[in-house]
Amino acid sequence: MTAISLEHAAVPADTGEVTLLIARQVEPGHEAAFEKWASGILDTAARFPGHLGYGLFRPSADGNPWCLVHRFRDAAACRTWQESPERAAWFEHCEGHHHTEIARRELTGMETWFAKPGSVEPAPPRWKMAISSSLAVYPISLAANVTFVPPLATALPLLLNTAVISAVLSITMTYVAMPAVSRLLRGWLGRNRA
C-alpha cells in the first residue's frame, strides 16, 4: 500500500496507547469522493485531545480495501472520538461515497510489540504471542532469580521487593527482550496471521 499521510509511524510501546485500524471497501469510480471524505474525517479526529496521529493507505491493487489508521493516547481518548458528534456528522454525510467498513481492529498492549512499524497487518495469533513472550520472560526471570531476587528478599519488605522486581522485569521486557524476540522471530510471527 502507498501511504498518503502517516504521522508517528513508530509502533507504540505498551503504554496504554490504542491504534485503531479500519478497512473500507470503495466501489470503483468513487475513489476520489472517498479520499476526500476520509481526509476530512481524519483531519477532524486529529483535533481531538489525545489523538496522536493518523494515516490513510490506498489499496495495493484495484478492488482491495482502503485502510485508515488512528492512534490515541489511551482507550478514553479513542472512546471520546468514537462517540463524538463530530464523527457522527461525518458518517451522516457519507452517502453517495459508495464505501463500507469491512474490518476494524484495535491494537493495544502486547499486540503492539508484534506490529511492524507503519504496517496495518494484524498482529500474530495470540498463541504465537504467548510463545514469544515466554521466550522473552524465561531468561529474564532466570537471571533475576539468580542475581538480585535473593538479596532483595532479605533486604526489603515483601511489597517493596515485589514493586522493584516488577519494575525491573517490565522495563527489561519492554525495551530489551520483546523487541529482540519479535525481531528474531519476525518471519515466523508474520506467517499465517489469521
Side-chain angles (χ1 to χ4, degrees):
M1 293 186 172
T2 303
I4 294 171
S5 170
L6 181 63
E7 298 176 1
H8 306 283
V11 173
D14 189 8
T15 59
E17 294 175 13
V18 175
T19 302
L20 184 59
L21 307 171
I22 303 131
R24 297 191 75 82
Q25 191 68 51
V26 180
E27 292 179 23
H30 299 277
E31 295 86 359
F34 170 74
E35 191 168 358
K36 184 176 179 184
W37 176 85
S39 295
I41 197 169
L42 290 168
D43 288 342
T44 302
R47 293 192 290 269
F48 272 66
H51 191 279
L52 301 177
Y54 63 83
L56 175 61
F57 295 84
R58 291 186 172 126
S60 57
D62 289 342
N64 287 350
W66 291 62
C67 294
L68 292 87
V69 181
H70 293 281
R71 284 194 49 222
F72 296 92
R73 179 184 57 236
D74 52 31
C78 182
R79 191 171 43 255
T80 298
W81 162 247
Q82 297 279 17
E83 297 171 357
S84 72
E86 292 88 343
R87 180 180 178 275
W90 278 100
F91 281 95
E92 285 174 17
H93 303 298
C94 72
E95 290 192 21
H97 294 246
H98 302 274
H99 56 88
T100 53
E101 183 175 302
I102 59 170
R104 173 178 292 259
R105 185 171 179 98
E106 250 182 55
L107 294 179
T108 58
M110 204 168 93
E111 289 181 325
T112 62
W113 276 333
F114 299 97
K116 189 175 177 183
S119 172
V120 293
E121 292 179 7
R126 290 194 183 275
W127 67 270
K128 285 188 175 184
M129 289 192 285
I131 290 171
S132 301
S133 300
S134 297
L135 290 173
V137 168
Y138 180 75
I140 294 171
S141 298
L142 184 61
N145 281 310
V146 170
T147 57
F148 69 87
V149 170
L152 284 178
T154 57
L156 299 173
L158 179 62
L159 291 176
L160 188 56
N161 174 25
T162 304
V164 169
I165 292 169
S166 296
V168 169
L169 293 179
S170 295
I171 290 167
T172 307
M173 276 290 290
T174 301
Y175 294 104
V176 179
M178 284 310 302
V181 167
S182 61
R183 250 190 329 271
L184 184 67
L185 300 178
R186 177 128 358 246
W188 176 70
L189 290 166
R191 272 183 264 147
N192 303 321
R193 286 184 176 261

